[in-house]
Amino acid sequence: MATMVDVARRAGVSVATVSHVVNDTRPVRPDTRAAVLAAIEELGYTHNTLARSLVTARTRSIGLAVSAISNPYFTEILQGVEAAALEAGYSLLIADPHDDPRHERKVVQLLHERRVDGMIVAPSAEPAAMAEYLTRRHIPVVFLDRLVGDGFDQVCAESAGPVRRLVEHLADLGHTRIGLVAGAPGLSTTAERVQGYREGLQSRGLPFAPELLAGGDSEAAGAQHATRRLLAAPEPPTALITANNAMTIGALQALRALGLEVPRDLALACFDDFSWADLFTPRLTAIAQPSKELGAAAVRLLLERLDAPDRPPRTVRLPCAFVHRTSCGCPDPARPQVPNGPQPARPRPL
């Protein structure tokens, strides 16, 4: 195995110069840097990051604790985190807390024991034990997607405003009974999306009806049950909003089992766009979160914290996009309309 001494001999420079190139600790002339990099490539030299960490007390690694890694939303976040970390010269250690507060606390401890320089965590609905562990040990952390408190660095997308826009869009199509399948209680995203739902109703002069709000626990099975409950009401909704992509799948499964078609029998709009939402029939009207940008922003915020441990905590919010398709009952915005062509679907009783 090639050593730094071998690289120095091949490039005709000192070992110190090779170290400066590898560790980026001092400016090196471009031609000298090129000679060192060529020697590294020719000899197949691999830098010993473990040895360097013993000197610098840095492992140049980031712990990422994200539940439901199989969820397309979190998969895209992971891609954003990985790309930004790699660009900054950091590796990732990934763990899935399964949205379980007890497991979440254990996962964070295990990442800490692996000597990561900092962590990015998507917290559960009960993050107190995990947050206390991080705080007591002064571990640099950025909370991702869900907010915990003002004392931490946090990155998330806007939630209330986008849901309000969905409600207003459906109301403007003539719907007066708009249901919401909300996420798991205790999550900041759930609270904010319910807030946006109520704000949207208020802005269009519609009363809030508790029977039109059902909890779907942020997963497909819960959304199936929630959708069935909403549609079994004496006055069921004529339009439905689902508060994440997993619950959208659950709602669609429930509607299919009931023999109902979107948007003929029920208009549908969802929070979270995903890669195949455009392939459904009808195509799903959705709020698209900037998933990869959220992951990259979390890495940048963590690196800022590592460079300036005493700076005040920051909360970064990124805007979402309204993706207008056809499940809401509108004509396909991707296709030109002809005079007297299809018109937006009107609410109809179930």
Side-chain angles (χ1 to χ4, degrees), residues 278-292:
D278 200 34
L279 302 178
F280 279 84
T281 301
R283 298 161 60 237
L284 297 178
T285 292
I287 295 297
Q289 298 192 75
S291 308
K292 293 181 181 178

Side-chain angles (χ1 to χ4, degrees), residues 263-338:
R264 187 196 68 185
D265 301 310
L266 185 78
L268 179 67
C270 53
F271 201 103
D272 276 349
D273 197 24
F274 42 97
S275 58
W276 57 85
D278 200 34
L279 302 178
F280 279 84
T281 301
R283 298 161 60 237
L284 297 178
T285 292
I287 295 297
Q289 298 192 75
S291 308
K292 293 181 181 178
E293 291 83 353
L294 287 168
V299 172
R300 290 193 296 268
L301 201 56
L302 181 59
L303 297 183
E304 290 176 13
R305 172 61 60 192
L306 293 173
D307 290 339
D310 297 325
R311 69 161 176 76
R314 294 172 53 202
T315 295
V316 175
R317 285 186 175 270
L318 299 183
C320 296
F322 175 71
V323 184
H324 188 196
R325 299 191 182 104
T326 59
S327 64
C328 54
C330 292
D332 192 339
R335 297 178 181 175
Q337 299 300 307
V338 298

Side-chain angles (χ1 to χ4, degrees), residues 61-86:
S61 62
I62 294 172
L64 177 63
V66 178
S67 294
I69 289 176
S70 60
N71 186 313
Y73 169 62
F74 284 109
T75 301
E76 291 189 1
I77 283 183
L78 172 58
Q79 292 172 356
V81 171
E82 184 178 38
L86 182 63

Side-chain angles (χ1 to χ4, degrees), residues 208-234:
F208 169 70
E211 69 272 15
L212 294 180
L213 174 61
D217 292 327
S218 298
E219 45 90 23
Q224 286 191 52
H225 296 306
T227 302
R228 286 178 174 274
R229 288 199 305 272
L230 289 171
L231 295 179

Side-chain angles (χ1 to χ4, degrees), residues 158-228:
E158 296 287 354
S159 280
V163 173
R164 171 175 173 159
R165 182 170 183 183
L166 291 179
V167 173
E168 292 173 342
H169 178 68
L170 293 169
D172 291 344
L173 293 176
H175 295 280
T176 59
R177 291 186 65 76
I178 302 170
L180 174 68
V181 179
L187 297 177
S188 64
T189 48
T190 298
E192 291 182 0
R193 290 169 197 177
V194 171
Q195 174 191 338
Y197 168 70
R198 300 189 65 151
E199 289 176 354
L201 294 173
Q202 183 178 19
S203 74
R204 290 301 185 263
L206 299 176
F208 169 70
E211 69 272 15
L212 294 180
L213 174 61
D217 292 327
S218 298
E219 45 90 23
Q224 286 191 52
H225 296 306
T227 302
R228 286 178 174 274

Side-chain angles (χ1 to χ4, degrees), residues 30-44:
D31 58 334
T32 303
R33 175 180 290 273
V36 171
L37 294 177
I40 288 174
E41 179 69 21
E42 182 180 348
L43 296 173

